[in-house]
């Protein structure tokens, strides 16, 4: 029983990273197919997955196509109830689902101003008030998650969960743009980005390249580091 997951460019595709982590971190069998997002071939290569049109897209062993990362999370959790995708405690589980839902629908300012990229760290990025508000909201949600779960550090709910997978690209944005956050949140970002699964993903970011930067940023930058 092997899942097929179609992902976008590892350097840029935040949603693909989320979908892939849910398979990789919970030891679910899968094969990944990379589809370039910026070469003009994405629609043609996804034609067989219709009506799915975004990455990631998951294909179940029976051929069922599942789009949208939140739906992928619930499908995998339903099919693998003992894998631990969601916290075992009911209150923690409800809270984790809340964080995931808010991530899927919110933080528009952060997403637009700071596209995920895993290649370098920008210097001199000045976050807008809207981006700062998004960061403050993330701090609030994380503090609430820790209050519910009792996890003072490490993963949000003690053991790794779907919530951590969903916020991995947020950690990449915070580090990649050197955004102003608390030391507690920065420590979470360091843990997320130094996790072996994330490092394995990042090691392959140069599998695709283009003649232009899909998300140009006129700022100096330095090599990626977690210090």
């Amino acid at each position: 029983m092997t899942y097929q997951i179609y992902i976008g460019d590892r350097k840029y595709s935040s949603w693909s990273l989320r979908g892939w982590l849910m398979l990789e971190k919970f030891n679910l069998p899968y094969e990944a197919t990379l589809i370039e997002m910026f070469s003009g071939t994405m629609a043609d290569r996804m034609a067989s997955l219709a009506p799915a049109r975004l990455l990631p897209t998951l294909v179940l062993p029976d051929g069922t196509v599942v789009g949208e990362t939140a739906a992928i999370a619930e499908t995998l959790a339903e099919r693998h109830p003992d894998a631990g995708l969601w916290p075992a405690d009911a209150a923690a589980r409800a809270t984790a689902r809340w964080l995931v839902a808010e991530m899927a629908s919110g933080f528009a300012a952060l997403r637009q101003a700071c596209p995920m990229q895993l290649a370098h760290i920008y210097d001199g990025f000045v976050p807008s008030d809207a981006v700062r508000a998004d960061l403050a909201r993330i701090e609030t949600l994380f503090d609430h998650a820790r209050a519910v779960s009792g996890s003072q550090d490490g993963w949000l709910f003690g053991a790794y969960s779907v919530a951590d997978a969903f916020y991995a690209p947020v950690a990449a944005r915070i580090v990649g743009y050197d955004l102003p956050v608390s030391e507690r949140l920065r420590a979470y970002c360091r843990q997320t980005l130094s996790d072996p699964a994330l490092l394995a993903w990042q090691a392959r970011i140069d599998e695709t390249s283009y003649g232009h930067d899909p998300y140009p940023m006129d700022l100096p930058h330095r090599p990626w580091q977690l210090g």
Side-chain angles (χ1 to χ4, degrees):
M1 181 186 70
T2 300
Y3 295 99
Q4 304 291 328
I5 185 168
Y6 294 81
I7 60 173
D9 301 75
R10 288 181 171 87
K11 186 183 293 186
Y12 303 113
S13 184
S14 58
W15 289 106
S16 294
L17 174 57
R18 293 178 174 104
W20 179 84
L21 282 171
M22 287 187 285
L23 294 164
E24 177 71 16
K25 289 292 292 182
F26 296 99
N27 299 310
L28 304 181
Y30 71 91
E31 294 178 354
T33 299
L34 192 148
I35 295 177
E36 294 180 347
M37 298 166 59
F38 306 105
S39 65
T41 62
M42 180 174 161
D44 287 343
R45 292 195 62 194
M46 292 194 67
S48 64
L49 302 171
R53 58 189 180 125
L54 299 174
L55 299 167
T57 294
L58 185 72
V59 180
L60 306 187
D62 66 2
T64 300
V65 176
V66 183
E68 295 295 333
T69 315
I72 290 172
E74 292 295 351
T75 299
L76 292 176
E78 181 180 67
R79 291 171 60 87
H80 303 277
D82 298 325
L85 276 81
W86 295 111
D89 176 76
R93 186 165 61 252
T95 305
R97 284 189 166 119
W98 172 8
L99 264 66
V100 165
E102 189 153 342
M103 178 68 258
S105 64
F107 310 115
L110 176 62
R111 294 183 201 212
Q112 182 173 0
C114 306
M116 190 190 83
Q117 55 79 32
L118 291 166
H120 44 248
I121 297 173
Y122 285 112
D123 288 321
F125 179 83
V126 179
S128 66
D129 289 345
V131 170
R132 289 179 180 273
D134 279 351
L135 294 172
R137 178 61 179 171
I138 291 166
E139 299 257 18
T140 296
L141 290 173
F142 277 28
D143 287 346
H144 179 63
R146 295 194 183 283
V148 171
S149 69
S151 175
Q152 296 305 307
D153 53 26
W155 304 122
L156 294 172
F157 295 93
Y160 193 93
S161 75
V162 170
D164 297 297
F166 263 66
Y167 282 86
V170 170
R173 287 177 164 99
I174 289 170
V175 170
Y177 294 83
D178 197 16
L179 299 178
V181 296
S182 69
E183 180 52 36
R184 190 178 189 185
L185 179 49
R186 195 165 295 280
Y188 176 83
C189 294
R190 286 194 295 267
Q191 174 173 339
T192 298
L193 297 171
S194 61
D195 184 77
L198 201 294
L199 292 175
W201 174 277
Q202 189 178 26
R204 300 177 66 180
I205 62 172
D206 291 327
E207 285 183 331
T208 56
S209 62
Y210 305 97
H212 65 285
D213 187 341
Y215 302 114
M217 188 74 59
D218 187 19
L219 287 171
H221 55 78
R222 51 194 157 92
W224 188 273
Q225 59 185 13
L226 300 178

